[in-house]
Amino acid sequence: MQAFLKGATIQSAKPQKDKAAAGPSGEKKQKALPWVEKYRPKCVDEVAFQEEVVAVLKKSLEGADLPNLLFYGPPGTGKTSTILAAARELFGPVLYRQRVLELNASDERGIQVVRDKVKRFAQLTVAGTRSDGKPCPHFKIIILDEADSMTAPAQAALRRTMEKESRTTRFCLICNYISRIIEPLTSRCSKFRFKPLANQIQRQRLLDICAKEDLKYTSESIDALVRVSEGDLRKAITYLQSAARLNTEKEITEKAITEIAGVVPTKTIDNLLEICFKGTFEKLEVAVKNIVDEGYAATQVLGQLHEAIIERDIGDKQKSAITEKMAVVDKCLTDGADEYLQMLSLCSVMMQQAAENN
Ligand SMILES: Nc1ncnc2c1ncn2[C@@H]1O[C@H](COP(=O)(O)OP(=O)(O)OP(=O)(O)O)[C@@H](O)[C@H]1O
Ligand SMILES: [Mg+2]
């Protein structure tokens, strides 16, 4: 372990040095930037795959007015990046500080903050030109990132402020779950759904990064990255960086990716299923225990079992009973239940259903 840690730090120090030396000019602090930050879109045009919102933002960059915005969608699809890039383009680096108020889940956003900070910022009036003479919009932007973690009273307190200050302020609410935003707020905003990134787009971005970082990789490893990240580009980039750090000399392989992502080998899953469908309870207990001992996350096993069951040739009734149990197990795991017991309970239901299938 010690040696591994040591090795990893030495290896990771090397490419950073190279990067700093060979890095593109103009960027000052290159040192320890994670790649997700390094390759965060700098302008709206660089945002991939979210055409509608990019079109609207580009119109407002050309001088059209901007509506209040509500971005929602799964993690790592570009919501935060898009509005930050747009704000930077609208205001330039100098004005940005005065014109943009960014509050996220790490800030206090209870009702008091909405009443004081947000309201006060919204009430400020602003000029329509930049110090460098270029025209800029006559409004400010308040970004409420991770808005689904705001309490309902705090959201309610925004309603009137949003309307009253519409002359000088635009709001941009960002969340993963739109159902957690109260109806009166959603109706005041233009909603944009951020879709999980298509495989081809993800692939392209990963290949770009590989080229820029001068990485050696196999085509299968990129396929694996796209597969395990399920449309979440942040996850894909993070895994890529981990893999690159792990073996700086050799090429990145599919095996390294699946290992980093914690994917359970197909053989293990198949083996578990075989025991469920043909074996005995004693064998099942051992198999489940082995999986837990190997350190695989139960949620990962659950996800892979789910895929396998959907594909498997068994009756619809059995499938529905098993997937229903999976939903229950998933909830229990989220609530912090014991992994071994939950997996065993799921596998016994599969065993039961398999017996009925025969
Ligand atoms: N559409 C996209 N185009 C280009 N890069 C993207 C895109 N989506 C995600 N990325 C990459 O993923 C990283 C994370 O994206 P971002 O922070 O915008 O995600 P998010 O949608 O705000 O996620 P969360 O809901 O978890 O806050 C970015 O730094 C960028 O490198
Ligand atoms: Mg975000």
Side-chain angles (χ1 to χ4, degrees):
M1 190 67 189
Q2 204 65 21
F4 168 76
L5 284 176
K6 257 191 189 162
T9 45
I10 291 167
Q11 283 177 346
S12 65
K14 236 197 294 176
Q16 281 167 12
K17 241 193 204 166
D18 296 344
K19 256 185 278 162
S25 57
E27 280 179 67
K28 282 164 260 163
K29 278 191 220 156
Q30 279 275 305
K31 272 176 275 164
L33 218 52
W35 290 356
V36 274
E37 291 308 326
K38 192 170 168 194
Y39 296 102
R40 195 184 275 280
K42 306 270 179 320
C43 58
V44 183
D45 267 328
E46 285 180 27
V47 176
F49 201 58
Q50 316 292 358
E51 289 88 12
E52 297 102 8
V53 65
V54 168
V56 169
L57 288 173
K58 273 170 88 174
K59 275 266 153 22
S60 79
L61 288 178
E62 288 161 11
D65 200 28
L66 189 72
N68 288 319
L69 301 167
L70 173 61
F71 294 171
Y72 65 101
T77 47
K79 299 180 294 299
T80 307
S81 314
T82 306
I83 192 63
L84 290 181
R88 203 151 278 135
E89 273 191 86
L90 275 171
F91 301 118
V94 184
L95 262 191
Y96 182 90
R97 283 197 192 179
Q98 301 167 19
R99 294 291 186 90
V100 180
L101 176 67
E102 191 199 346
L103 294 172
N104 54 42
S106 67
D107 303 303
E108 170 63 51
R109 284 180 310 181
I111 188 156
Q112 206 52 44
V113 173
V114 173
R115 278 185 189 143
D116 298 342
K117 205 168 170 183
V118 174
K119 204 166 161 185
R120 198 163 346 109
F121 186 80
Q123 281 169 345
L124 299 173
T125 50
V126 288
T129 48
R130 268 155 59 161
S131 52
D132 55 5
K134 282 189 202 157
C136 81
H138 56 276
F139 54 74
K140 306 174 295 294
I141 298 184
I142 299 183
I143 304 172
L144 295 165
D145 208 345
E146 287 122 30
D148 36 10
S149 69
M150 286 173 81
T151 57
Q155 290 187 30
L158 272 180
R159 293 160 58 168
R160 194 67 192 122
T161 312
M162 235 169 170
E163 278 176 351
K164 244 174 49 195
E165 312 303 340
S166 59
R167 245 177 4 97
T168 56
T169 308
R170 299 291 173 274
F171 283 82
C172 178
L173 275 63
I174 306 180
C175 62
N176 292 125
Y177 305 102
I178 194 168
S179 53
R180 295 195 193 153
I181 305 291
I182 59 171
E183 185 75 11
L185 278 192
T186 54
S187 85
R188 283 170 171 80
C189 300
S190 305
K191 286 184 278 217
F192 293 99
R193 192 172 79 86
F194 278 63
K195 301 159 281 186
L197 272 74
N199 290 355
Q200 193 45 40
I201 306 275
Q202 278 206 67
R203 218 186 133 78
Q204 194 50 50
R205 294 215 70 108
L206 291 171
L207 290 178
D208 280 353
I209 295 178
C210 286
K212 283 188 188 139
E213 295 291 335
D214 210 5
L215 299 180
K216 287 186 239 119
Y217 56 89
T218 62
S219 171
E220 291 80 37
S221 68
I222 302 294
D223 287 340
L225 268 178
V226 171
R227 197 172 53 241
V228 297
S229 60
E230 296 168 330
D232 179 343
L233 188 53
R234 183 195 285 126
K235 207 163 157 189
I237 296 177
T238 312
Y239 286 159
L240 180 66
Q241 185 169 18
S242 313
R245 289 269 157 89
L246 262 182
N247 34 5
T248 33
E249 307 303 325
K250 287 176 283 166
E251 58 179 15
I252 298 168
T253 57
E254 186 179 358
K255 192 159 163 277
I257 300 292
T258 43
E259 216 153 86
I260 286 169
V263 177
V264 187
T266 328
K267 229 174 84 189
T268 315
I269 294 287
D270 287 346
N271 181 35
L272 185 65
L273 279 176
E274 278 323 301
I275 295 176
C276 285
F277 282 86
K278 298 210 178 78
T280 62
F281 189 80
E282 283 72 33
K283 276 191 194 163
L284 183 65
E285 208 182 345
V286 174
V288 171
K289 182 127 191 35
N290 280 345
I291 289 184
V292 172
D293 287 350
E294 287 278 324
Y296 293 118
T299 41
Q300 178 70 33
V301 180
L302 182 65
Q304 287 183 249
L305 275 178
H306 177 248
E307 262 171 46
I309 286 291
I310 298 282
E311 298 290 321
R312 205 175 169 93
D313 189 21
I314 51 172
D316 287 351
K317 219 167 149 203
Q318 277 77 28
K319 270 189 195 176
S320 59
I322 294 173
T323 42
E324 198 179 346
K325 175 68 186 170
M326 283 176 167
V328 175
V329 167
D330 188 36
K331 164 84 172 104
C332 292
L333 287 173
T334 315
D335 289 345
D338 183 84
E339 298 206 338
Y340 169 70
L341 288 179
Q342 286 301 321
M343 277 184 12
L344 198 59
S345 133
L346 170 63
C347 290
S348 9
V349 168
M350 288 204 277
M351 204 170 217
Q352 230 172 22
Q353 292 300 323
E356 278 179 31
N357 196 36
N358 294 328

